[in-house]
Amino acid sequence: MSVLRPLDKLPSLNTATILLVGTEDALLQQLADSMLKEDCTSELKVHLAKSLPLPSSVNRPRIDLIVFVVNLHSKYSLQNTEESLRHVDASFFLGKVCFLATGAGRESHCSIHRHTVVKLAHTYQSPLLYCDLEDGASRPCCGQPMRHERKKSPP
Amino acid sequence: MNQQDLDPDSTTDVGDVTNTEEELIRECEEMWKDMEECQNKLSLTGTETLTDLNAKLSLLIMQVKCLTAELSQWQKKTPETHGNVFRKLTFSIQIQIIPLTEDVLLTLGKEEFQKLRHDLEMVQSTMESKNEKLKEDLEREQRWLDEQQQIMESLNVLHNELKNKVETFSESRVFNELKTKLLNVKEYKEKLLITLGEFLEDHFPLPDGSVKKKKKNIQESTVQLITLHEMLEILINRLFDVPHDPYVKITDSFWPPYVELLLRNGIALRHPEDPTRIRLEAFHQ
């Protein structure tokens, strides 16, 4: 199906699935790796996607949390995110969506104003996190709030 | 069918455990059936996507609906099933439904207490090790302090000793000392000269008429011969008056044998180019 729905399948046992949507593969990969390194009692599966809609041919478990990764250095990233948002079911936004803005540290390279992302997050009633994925130290710190979000979202 | 982890441990009666197990399994199966029903219902509902314009409003409306639904659920459930709800106090509220029988409560309580005890033991051991370290540090510092104090004491003693030794500087005393030194040295010099003079007179007299007159053909010198003492005086004075040219011309008043004596014994030296000049050996250099 072309629209991502939160409750289209039964949940998998003791597992949570996070979907990372973003234009930059390398960043997504790094983020996924650092998140998987975190210790947690339940299992975690991370899916990466460049944009939505996801190809329907793949059999995937139920998605518990979508993270839209917006790179503040590229307008294309924001555009991609905005387009992908249209393929998400409305009920996802009741706590199962999170925005992640990267590259806010280097102000000179930011082509998207922070305010834009803030407004976006506000419109969709979802939390916004900031992260600088180039800096290795901040990656595990970033992974933590993600798991937090996942735990917060109603199962 | 999925089984949840069975919490109650084998501390309770086996019969009780089996009962609890069975109850849990039963409840799980019921819940799973409910879930499947709900899932079916849900799959029938349509999807709805948002645009930027209507996103906020729609979401807020949805949130209101969800919250009111949740609220009514809570209100409904609270009187009947509070015994079935076990709420863990974390940031999020996870609802686990475990039948709260006595054994379950007991076991859970025991677990909690054991955890607590373990944590406290860890804390205690860390504190003890910290204490030990602090004690060691304190001892070490104390020893260092003692050593430093000892050093200070010995330095103080040294300082006092030196202070006492240093005499006050007085110019007049130094002057007087120098004067006395000078006088002593002068006296000594005089004594030496006198002794030298006497010695020379005794052992190296001037030839007088006691020379045998065999060598008559030798012309009697008309010049008055000077004593060895005088010769030496001339040489010494020359050496100290004109240090860069301490040579003295041998005159006829020098008795040749004495000149030879001086030369042979290394007391005087000839001028390297001029055999008629001699100088005193510089014994003082």
PDB file of all heavy atoms in Angstrom, chain B residues 117-130:
ATOM      1  N   ARG B 117      18.892  -4.874  47.822  1.00  0.00           N
ATOM      2  CA  ARG B 117      20.007  -5.295  48.670  1.00  0.00           C
ATOM      3  C   ARG B 117      21.304  -5.330  47.867  1.00  0.00           C
ATOM      4  O   ARG B 117      22.346  -4.872  48.313  1.00  0.00           O
ATOM      5  CB  ARG B 117      19.726  -6.663  49.263  1.00  0.00           C
ATOM      6  CG  ARG B 117      20.729  -7.041  50.350  1.00  0.00           C
ATOM      7  CD  ARG B 117      20.414  -8.351  50.953  1.00  0.00           C
ATOM      8  NE  ARG B 117      20.886  -9.420  50.083  1.00  0.00           N
ATOM      9  CZ  ARG B 117      21.083 -10.659  50.502  1.00  0.00           C
ATOM     10  NH1 ARG B 117      20.835 -10.962  51.749  1.00  0.00           N
ATOM     11  NH2 ARG B 117      21.496 -11.578  49.664  1.00  0.00           N
ATOM     12  N   HIS B 118      21.192  -5.870  46.674  1.00  0.00           N
ATOM     13  CA  HIS B 118      22.382  -5.944  45.812  1.00  0.00           C
ATOM     14  C   HIS B 118      22.957  -4.555  45.554  1.00  0.00           C
ATOM     15  O   HIS B 118      24.159  -4.310  45.678  1.00  0.00           O
ATOM     16  CB  HIS B 118      21.990  -6.631  44.512  1.00  0.00           C
ATOM     17  CG  HIS B 118      23.094  -6.706  43.524  1.00  0.00           C
ATOM     18  ND1 HIS B 118      24.192  -7.517  43.701  1.00  0.00           N
ATOM     19  CD2 HIS B 118      23.300  -6.055  42.369  1.00  0.00           C
ATOM     20  CE1 HIS B 118      24.998  -7.383  42.687  1.00  0.00           C
ATOM     21  NE2 HIS B 118      24.490  -6.491  41.852  1.00  0.00           N
ATOM     22  N   ASP B 119      22.031  -3.629  45.216  1.00  0.00           N
ATOM     23  CA  ASP B 119      22.494  -2.258  44.956  1.00  0.00           C
ATOM     24  C   ASP B 119      23.160  -1.668  46.179  1.00  0.00           C
ATOM     25  O   ASP B 119      24.227  -1.049  46.084  1.00  0.00           O
ATOM     26  CB  ASP B 119      21.312  -1.375  44.542  1.00  0.00           C
ATOM     27  CG  ASP B 119      20.833  -1.700  43.144  1.00  0.00           C
ATOM     28  OD1 ASP B 119      21.600  -2.331  42.401  1.00  0.00           O
ATOM     29  OD2 ASP B 119      19.692  -1.342  42.812  1.00  0.00           O
ATOM     30  N   LEU B 120      22.528  -1.866  47.327  1.00  0.00           N
ATOM     31  CA  LEU B 120      23.092  -1.295  48.548  1.00  0.00           C
ATOM     32  C   LEU B 120      24.450  -1.909  48.857  1.00  0.00           C
ATOM     33  O   LEU B 120      25.370  -1.227  49.298  1.00  0.00           O
ATOM     34  CB  LEU B 120      22.129  -1.514  49.718  1.00  0.00           C
ATOM     35  CG  LEU B 120      20.903  -0.611  49.692  1.00  0.00           C
ATOM     36  CD1 LEU B 120      19.939  -1.014  50.784  1.00  0.00           C
ATOM     37  CD2 LEU B 120      21.288   0.842  49.870  1.00  0.00           C
ATOM     38  N   GLU B 121      24.547  -3.227  48.604  1.00  0.00           N
ATOM     39  CA  GLU B 121      25.842  -3.856  48.849  1.00  0.00           C
ATOM     40  C   GLU B 121      26.917  -3.249  47.954  1.00  0.00           C
ATOM     41  O   GLU B 121      28.042  -2.990  48.396  1.00  0.00           O
ATOM     42  CB  GLU B 121      25.745  -5.375  48.609  1.00  0.00           C
ATOM     43  CG  GLU B 121      25.213  -6.120  49.795  1.00  0.00           C
ATOM     44  CD  GLU B 121      25.040  -7.592  49.482  1.00  0.00           C
ATOM     45  OE1 GLU B 121      25.357  -8.003  48.349  1.00  0.00           O
ATOM     46  OE2 GLU B 121      24.584  -8.310  50.373  1.00  0.00           O
ATOM     47  N   MET B 122      26.549  -3.046  46.712  1.00  0.00           N
ATOM     48  CA  MET B 122      27.513  -2.431  45.788  1.00  0.00           C
ATOM     49  C   MET B 122      27.930  -1.068  46.292  1.00  0.00           C
ATOM     50  O   MET B 122      29.121  -0.731  46.316  1.00  0.00           O
ATOM     51  CB  MET B 122      26.889  -2.290  44.395  1.00  0.00           C
ATOM     52  CG  MET B 122      27.139  -3.500  43.573  1.00  0.00           C
ATOM     53  SD  MET B 122      27.088  -3.276  41.814  1.00  0.00           S
ATOM     54  CE  MET B 122      26.123  -1.892  41.473  1.00  0.00           C
ATOM     55  N   VAL B 123      26.925  -0.293  46.688  1.00  0.00           N
ATOM     56  CA  VAL B 123      27.227   1.046  47.201  1.00  0.00           C
ATOM     57  C   VAL B 123      28.159   0.942  48.388  1.00  0.00           C
ATOM     58  O   VAL B 123      29.151   1.676  48.488  1.00  0.00           O
ATOM     59  CB  VAL B 123      25.928   1.779  47.595  1.00  0.00           C
ATOM     60  CG1 VAL B 123      26.245   3.032  48.376  1.00  0.00           C
ATOM     61  CG2 VAL B 123      25.122   2.121  46.364  1.00  0.00           C
ATOM     62  N   GLN B 124      27.823  -0.017  49.256  1.00  0.00           N
ATOM     63  CA  GLN B 124      28.642  -0.154  50.453  1.00  0.00           C
ATOM     64  C   GLN B 124      30.082  -0.495  50.101  1.00  0.00           C
ATOM     65  O   GLN B 124      31.020   0.090  50.630  1.00  0.00           O
ATOM     66  CB  GLN B 124      28.063  -1.241  51.346  1.00  0.00           C
ATOM     67  CG  GLN B 124      28.754  -1.306  52.678  1.00  0.00           C
ATOM     68  CD  GLN B 124      28.548  -2.642  53.357  1.00  0.00           C
ATOM     69  OE1 GLN B 124      28.231  -3.627  52.708  1.00  0.00           O
ATOM     70  NE2 GLN B 124      28.725  -2.672  54.648  1.00  0.00           N
ATOM     71  N   SER B 125      30.248  -1.443  49.183  1.00  0.00           N
ATOM     72  CA  SER B 125      31.628  -1.822  48.841  1.00  0.00           C
ATOM     73  C   SER B 125      32.366  -0.659  48.196  1.00  0.00           C
ATOM     74  O   SER B 125      33.544  -0.429  48.474  1.00  0.00           O
ATOM     75  CB  SER B 125      31.635  -3.046  47.932  1.00  0.00           C
ATOM     76  OG  SER B 125      30.915  -2.777  46.764  1.00  0.00           O
ATOM     77  N   THR B 126      31.676   0.102  47.334  1.00  0.00           N
ATOM     78  CA  THR B 126      32.359   1.256  46.731  1.00  0.00           C
ATOM     79  C   THR B 126      32.772   2.244  47.800  1.00  0.00           C
ATOM     80  O   THR B 126      33.888   2.777  47.793  1.00  0.00           O
ATOM     81  CB  THR B 126      31.452   1.993  45.740  1.00  0.00           C
ATOM     82  OG1 THR B 126      30.193   1.404  45.695  1.00  0.00           O
ATOM     83  CG2 THR B 126      32.094   2.088  44.383  1.00  0.00           C
ATOM     84  N   MET B 127      31.841   2.500  48.719  1.00  0.00           N
ATOM     85  CA  MET B 127      32.156   3.455  49.777  1.00  0.00           C
ATOM     86  C   MET B 127      33.333   2.979  50.600  1.00  0.00           C
ATOM     87  O   MET B 127      34.213   3.757  50.960  1.00  0.00           O
ATOM     88  CB  MET B 127      30.943   3.649  50.702  1.00  0.00           C
ATOM     89  CG  MET B 127      29.786   4.351  50.065  1.00  0.00           C
ATOM     90  SD  MET B 127      30.229   5.915  49.345  1.00  0.00           S
ATOM     91  CE  MET B 127      30.650   6.834  50.775  1.00  0.00           C
ATOM     92  N   GLU B 128      33.340   1.668  50.891  1.00  0.00           N
ATOM     93  CA  GLU B 128      34.457   1.152  51.691  1.00  0.00           C
ATOM     94  C   GLU B 128      35.783   1.329  50.961  1.00  0.00           C
ATOM     95  O   GLU B 128      36.771   1.769  51.544  1.00  0.00           O
ATOM     96  CB  GLU B 128      34.225  -0.329  52.003  1.00  0.00           C
ATOM     97  CG  GLU B 128      33.401  -0.542  53.248  1.00  0.00           C
ATOM     98  CD  GLU B 128      33.114  -2.004  53.490  1.00  0.00           C
ATOM     99  OE1 GLU B 128      33.718  -2.848  52.788  1.00  0.00           O
ATOM    100  OE2 GLU B 128      32.308  -2.303  54.371  1.00  0.00           O
ATOM    101  N   SER B 129      35.778   0.960  49.689  1.00  0.00           N
ATOM    102  CA  SER B 129      37.041   1.101  48.951  1.00  0.00           C
ATOM    103  C   SER B 129      37.459   2.562  48.887  1.00  0.00           C
ATOM    104  O   SER B 129      38.644   2.889  48.989  1.00  0.00           O
ATOM    105  CB  SER B 129      36.908   0.496  47.562  1.00  0.00           C
ATOM    106  OG  SER B 129      35.946   1.181  46.838  1.00  0.00           O
ATOM    107  N   LYS B 130      36.483   3.454  48.740  1.00  0.00           N
ATOM    108  CA  LYS B 130      36.814   4.881  48.710  1.00  0.00           C
ATOM    109  C   LYS B 130      37.426   5.298  50.029  1.00  0.00           C
ATOM    110  O   LYS B 130      38.410   6.036  50.080  1.00  0.00           O
ATOM    111  CB  LYS B 130      35.543   5.703  48.471  1.00  0.00           C
ATOM    112  CG  LYS B 130      35.361   6.083  47.031  1.00  0.00           C
ATOM    113  CD  LYS B 130      34.380   7.236  46.932  1.00  0.00           C
ATOM    114  CE  LYS B 130      34.040   7.469  45.479  1.00  0.00           C
ATOM    115  NZ  LYS B 130      32.915   8.325  45.296  1.00  0.00           N
TER     116      LYS B 130
END
